[in-house]
Amino acid sequence: MHASYPNIEDKKKALERGVSPGGFIMIHGQRNGLGWLSPITQQFNWTNGCIALTNNEMDEFMALVKVGTPIEISW
């Protein structure tokens, strides 16, 4: 599931801070065919900014969260 980030406000805040706003943020499961690795991959930050779930968690997430649900990204 793609997050609509960065928006105009996010880009403005990043410019004010002198940093890149990033982009292409997603909530996703494990790479195709590699779901069996999730007990290992979930121990590391391998997504470069995305939120990675196990494939089973992703199935549950998609069943519970509707497209258009606001997502807050903070740091």
Side-chain angles (χ1 to χ4, degrees), residues 27-71:
I27 300 170
H28 58 75
Q30 303 298 299
R31 294 177 190 246
N32 290 341
L34 298 178
W36 61 274
L37 279 175
S38 58
I40 297 168
T41 58
Q42 290 301 101
Q43 303 300 312
F44 302 96
N45 181 12
W46 59 273
T47 66
N48 198 22
C50 293
I51 300 167
L53 306 174
T54 67
N55 290 344
N56 288 338
E57 290 168 339
M58 191 65 209
D59 290 341
E60 182 178 359
F61 178 84
M62 293 298 290
L64 295 173
V65 180
K66 295 179 180 173
V67 172
T69 298
I71 298 170

Side-chain angles (χ1 to χ4, degrees), residues 7-22:
N7 62 29
I8 293 172
E9 184 178 330
D10 298 320
K11 290 177 183 178
K12 180 182 173 190
K13 287 180 183 178
L15 182 63
E16 290 169 358
R17 292 179 178 164
V19 298
S20 168

